[in-house]
Every structure is written in structure tokens, then in C-alpha cells.
Amino acid sequence: MEFQSVLALFWLIAGGVSFYFSIGNARVWTSIAVGFFLILLGEIIPGAMPFLPGLDNAYVLAMGHIIGTISILVMSHGFQEYYVFTRTLDFEGSKRFVYLSVLGVIAASLVFLLINPTPTEEVRKVIRIVENTNWVFLSLINIDLIRKIYLNVKDTPISNGFIAFMVVFACIFLWKGSQLYIDVFNLEMIKDTFPLRYEISFWCKNIGNVLASITVGGTFLYLGKLLR
Amino acid sequence: MILLPRGNPVKENIDPGKVDLAGALGKMRQGKFTGYLRFDFPDGTGVFIYQEGRLISALYQSERENLIAYDGIARTFAESLAGSGVLNIYRLSTDLAYSIHALLHGEMLHKGQDLQLIDIKSLLVRMREDKSNGCLRIYSPEHIALIFYRNGNPLGFFHDGSTEIETTADSSMSVAREPGAKVDVLVTRGNIETSLADLMETADVAGLWDNALTERRRQREERESTTSRTLEMKESERRQKALALFQRSAQAHLGKLGVSLVEKEFEKMKLNGGQLNEALLSGFYGNLSKAAKLVAGPSKIELMLDEMKKGFKGLSK
């Protein structure tokens, strides 16, 4: 319970900082910051605060995983936009469009859940595997993409912020990769047979989670300082 | 410098560049004008002589050239249109008009004869006996005098400094007494009245005038084009300097991405040889600031833009 509370605190800070950052900065940062903010909404509140009311609801839990998936997709899209900007120096769109699009996708996902049978635990596990698969592979892709962005903006004031993002995605990879490993091999059910693997995966997941929350909050604070 | 008697002034101190000379010459013809038009230019003098509406003589003389007839007309037209010319029109008697023709175009019977070696009185007697038509030009290093003859009789006397034809020889003959004085004797032979063609009949004066106008227009266009090219080159140089200044500033504050942003926004202004002004630059600064927000904070951007604005003001001075 204590660990969950600390985790929740870290993610609240990280989510708050990233959302605030999305408001006060250039449009291209909106997708990235909103993506990180969605981690707080979709993943951490159900996971870090199991004591909140209504969190045993199958739809709330399923939506948590779906929002988590939307989160990595939105921020990956944001980094792609940033990369395109560093190559072409062109960018377009508006912040409002980003916010509305994200809300629209979340609403459409909710409708999709509601018109289908109640997501059982087995269904939710499948959704979670889909979510974590996205996180794992897109984290790796994003690390490479951010490396390329860093090379393009190496001598600008913001450049070191992208190194911080690489660290963030390394932590997320550790966190989500461990969770995916546990789910794919159903290690929780067979932890007595493979205690070491389970223990390593479990602690990697938790440490990765904490480090991710700290690095996300720290990175956005650092970016805020660089862009002052 | 051509010395001619002024006669009776018809028009003086006209700018020939502002007159339709072909039309004016036509009017002279219609009005049966007798006299001459004198064009004074910085580098030469043009003289058109009329006798009862017939353009009997045209001359353009400068230090290097002595053009007559059509060439003289064409050149006088061209010089008139070039500006800085003065046109004076004087009416003369028919006889004097012929004499002026003789002065300008006549046969040189004696040239540069030293008056101390020649008996001027005998010369005048011989002119009368021979019933000569023409002109005696008597000149010393300081003065010049003209004596016009018609059928051996003096028509009038004229010397530099006088404004009218004089009827007495006193002033003119006083030149002959000056040390180093010389005389030129210019005569016209045969029946001059019938031998002189009307240049306006044989020449397409309107065509010559049109040619001069066309040439003048071409020269002006060429000059304008050259001026415009020079201005364009200066503006292009200013643009290049401004771009280099902005690039340096962007490199210092935003790195090479900043340089690329400057180049892109500069290109977006689509100057196409146009002038780089504050209004255009205001848009440029705005767009650059917007793009720069992706890689730098407002304080850094502000600093960079201030540097650019100050630098550009320095370029404009």
C-alpha cells in the first residue's frame, strides 16, 4: 500500500508537470506531454490507487489499459512530428485539435467497450498484453527516434532534454517489458516453479515504474527550465 | 564657338529638348521664315539657316566634329533631346541669311592672312569690283569681327560683344588694327539662290526627329535599366548581408537548426529582388520566433531577435 501511494504521488507530479507543460509550450510538444499525462490517467490511477471507489469495475480497468495504449501512441506520434520538424522545419495543427482528438479517441474506445460484452479478466489481460506490446516496441523505436532528433538539435538549448527522454523510455521499457514478460508467460500463476524469473521480473517492473515516474517528472521540469 | 550676328530675335533661351523640333521646323517653313536657329550645347553648336521658308543650311559643329545637312540636323536633334541646350531664333534679311550660309559653308578664299602683310583696303576694293558674295572674318587673339558682302557691297558689320548688325565699319575695322590680327575670306560662287536646296524637301525631317526620339528613349531605358540593375545589386547585397547576420545570430543562440530556420523563413518572404523592409521583417521575426519555440525558450529567442533587429538597423544606416 505504501509503495502504491509513493508511486501514485510520483505519477501525480509527473502527470501534472507534463500536462502543465503541454499548455505553456509550442504545439509540437502537446502530443508528447499529453501522452505522458495519459499514463497518469490510464495506468497509474487504477494500478497505484486500488483503494479508489469504482476501481473494481471491469470497464474502468479495461479503459485504463486502453488509455495506456492511447498514451504511447499519442506520444510516439508527437516524437514523430518533432522529428519531421527537425528535418523539414515545418509543423502544423493546433493544440485544441490535439486535445479534442485524444478525447475523441478515448470516447470512441469507451463506446467500443460498452457495445461489446463485459470485459472479463481474461479479456482485460489480452488488452493489457496489447498495451504492453505497444509500449515495449514503441519505447525502443522512440529511443532510436529521439536519438535522431538529438543529433538534429544537438547544439540547441533543448538538446539535453532529448537525452533525458531516452532515459525515460529506457525506464518505461524496463517497466512495461517486465509486465509483458510476466503476462505472456503467465509467470504469476507459475511463480513457484520459476521463482527467480518472477522475482526479477516483478522487481524490474516496479523499479522501472518508479524510475519512469521520476524521470518523466524530472524531464519535464528540466525541459521547462531549458525553455524558460 | 560660332560667331553669328543676332539679327532680330524671335525667340530666345528656349530649351530645345522640350520643343517638337520637327513641328517647329515645319512652322518655320509654312511661315516663310528667313533667319536662323541657333542651338548652343555644352559640347557644340547647331545652326539651321532659313531663307523664305527654305531650310538652306544645317550645321553642327564641335571641337571634334563638323557635320552638315542631314547629319547636322540629326545630331542637333539628338543633342537637343539630351538636354542642357539653349535655342535662340533670329530673323535676318534674305541677303544676310545667304551671307551667314557663306560664313558657315563658303569657300575659303584666304585663310589666316596676317593683316600686317595684306592690304585690307585693296581687298575690300577687290571684293566690290568682283561683286563677291560672302564674308570677311577678321580676328585677333582677343576679338573677332565679321563683314558680310552681297554683290560686292557690305551688308553689315558684326563683332563679338555687339548685339546688332552695325552699319558702320568702325568697330569691326578696329579689330584689324590689333596686333596679330588675321583675316579669312569666305565666298560663295555662282547663283547661290538657285544652288541651295531646301533640306526640308529632300530630307525626311520628321523621320530624323522620330529617330532621335526613339534613340533618346532607348538610351533612357538603357540608363533606367542600368540604374535599376545597380539598385537591384545593392539590394541583393543588402539582403545577403542581412541573411548572413541573421544566420550568425541564430547559430549563436539556436545552433545549426536555428540557421536552417532563418534560411527557411527568409526564403518564405519571397523577396524576388524586392526591398527588405521593416514590415516584411516583422513577419519574418514572428515566424522565426514561432518556430524557434520548439527548440528554445522565450528569453533566448527574445535575445536573438533583439540582436538581429539591432544588426539590421546597423545595416540600414
Side-chain angles (χ1 to χ4, degrees), chain A residues 94-116:
Chain A
S94 69
K95 286 186 179 190
R96 182 182 293 183
F97 181 75
V98 175
Y99 290 127
L100 290 176
S101 300
V102 171
L103 283 173
V105 172
I106 291 171
S109 304
L110 183 61
V111 170
F112 183 73
L113 269 187
L114 291 172
I115 61 171
N116 279 297

Side-chain angles (χ1 to χ4, degrees), chain A residues 105-185:
Chain A
V105 172
I106 291 171
S109 304
L110 183 61
V111 170
F112 183 73
L113 269 187
L114 291 172
I115 61 171
N116 279 297
T118 307
T120 59
E121 193 173 347
E122 198 180 339
V123 171
R124 293 202 302 275
K125 187 182 172 188
V126 172
I127 298 173
R128 191 169 71 220
I129 288 174
V130 170
E131 178 205 357
N132 288 332
T133 307
N134 273 307
W135 273 105
V136 167
F137 290 103
L138 285 175
S139 292
L140 292 175
I141 289 168
N142 283 345
I143 286 172
D144 184 51
L145 194 62
I146 291 165
R147 180 187 65 82
K148 288 176 182 167
I149 292 171
Y150 172 74
L151 292 176
N152 290 340
V153 299
K154 205 161 55 180
D155 45 4
T156 65
I158 195 87
S159 61
N160 287 340
F162 287 97
I163 293 177
F165 272 124
M166 283 197 267
V167 176
V168 167
F169 278 106
C171 297
I172 289 175
F173 174 76
L174 193 66
W175 165 30
K176 297 292 184 179
S178 304
Q179 181 65 60
L180 182 64
Y181 180 60
I182 291 168
D183 285 342
V184 167
F185 290 97

Side-chain angles (χ1 to χ4, degrees), chain A residues 28 82 90 155-156 158 227-228, chain B residues 254 256 264 294 297-299:
Chain A
V28 81
Y82 203 104
D90 274 329
D155 45 4
T156 65
I158 195 87
L227 292 178
R228 206 165 44 211
Chain B
L254 305 180
K256 70 176 179 1
K264 190 179 174 76
L294 274 74
S299 58

Side-chain angles (χ1 to χ4, degrees), chain B residues 229-246:
Chain B
R229 270 202 304 276
T230 311
L231 279 174
E232 255 176 46
M233 277 170 69
K234 274 189 182 167
E235 190 51 38
S236 166
E237 199 179 313
R238 187 161 164 266
R239 279 199 304 274
Q240 291 307 317
K241 279 184 182 172
L243 178 60
L245 171 87
F246 296 160

Side-chain angles (χ1 to χ4, degrees), chain B residues 115-148:
Chain B
L115 277 165
Q116 286 183 337
L117 303 174
I118 196 168
D119 183 354
I120 185 71
K121 284 186 179 166
S122 304
L123 182 64
L124 295 177
V125 168
R126 202 166 72 235
M127 291 279 288
R128 190 165 55 242
E129 285 173 357
D130 292 350
K131 297 189 185 301
S132 298
N133 295 318
C135 172
L136 261 71
R137 182 161 55 203
I138 303 168
Y139 54 96
S140 70
E142 282 81 30
H143 298 105
I144 183 165
L146 304 170
I147 306 171
F148 297 103

Side-chain angles (χ1 to χ4, degrees), chain A residues 21-37:
Chain A
F21 190 85
S22 80
I23 297 168
N25 280 288
R27 212 292 287 155
V28 81
W29 286 109
T30 315
S31 313
I32 296 169
V34 165
F36 280 103
F37 170 70

